[in-house]
Amino acid sequence: MGKTVNKQRPVNLDLSTIRFPVTAIASILHRVSGVITFVALGILLWLLGLSLSSPEGFNQAAAIMGSFFVKFILWGILTALAYHIVGGIRHLLADFGFMEETMVAGKRSAVASFIIAAILSILAGVLVW
């Protein structure tokens, strides 16, 4: 009737022992940064609308932006946006054939995108503070 299948796969995966390659981490972070940027867009548009509504609204928006916590959030948003742009350019270069389609080239471009995004994050911190 039915075949007996020899299951050689693990029953439970211990996610703490799985080591992702740097290319997988870059891809996951690119998706996460896209979600952060999408959510932040609504917050930033609300703040822009508040600042343009009236002189009192502008003063209220300026008071909100004066907080250390809000500056930290803004720095995080700018960092996510910078990483998403760098990761997007990395993907475009690969899609248009400007990079080799090898694992070594993928690892190098992922590490390069991390370094460039870190530099842009530092520059964003200088801009915010």
Side-chain angles (χ1 to χ4, degrees):
M1 289 279 174
K3 289 187 196 179
T4 305
V5 179
N6 186 8
K7 296 182 181 182
Q8 295 296 324
R9 58 186 177 173
V11 176
N12 262 337
L13 288 176
D14 185 7
L15 295 179
S16 65
T17 61
I18 295 176
R19 306 278 298 167
F20 289 110
V22 69
T23 53
I25 294 169
S27 178
I28 292 168
L29 287 177
H30 185 254
R31 293 166 194 258
V32 169
S33 67
V35 170
I36 291 170
T37 302
F38 180 74
V39 170
L41 184 63
I43 296 168
L44 294 176
L45 284 175
W46 169 78
L47 195 58
L48 177 65
L50 177 66
S51 71
L52 295 176
S53 64
S54 65
E56 295 80 23
F58 179 81
N59 290 335
Q60 188 179 6
I64 291 170
M65 289 303 299
S67 165
F68 175 80
F69 181 69
V70 174
K71 285 184 180 182
F72 185 75
I73 296 296
L74 181 62
W75 173 73
I77 291 170
L78 289 174
T79 298
L81 178 63
Y83 181 77
H84 194 72
I85 290 171
V86 170
I89 291 171
R90 174 181 172 254
H91 283 290
L92 283 175
L93 290 175
D95 289 344
F96 286 130
F98 292 114
M99 292 188 323
E100 296 176 25
E101 293 185 9
T102 63
M103 191 62 150
V104 173
K107 287 180 183 179
R108 284 185 190 148
S109 66
V111 170
S113 68
F114 289 149
I115 292 170
I116 293 169
I119 292 169
L120 291 174
S121 176
I122 292 169
L123 291 175
V126 170
L127 177 70
V128 169
W129 281 286

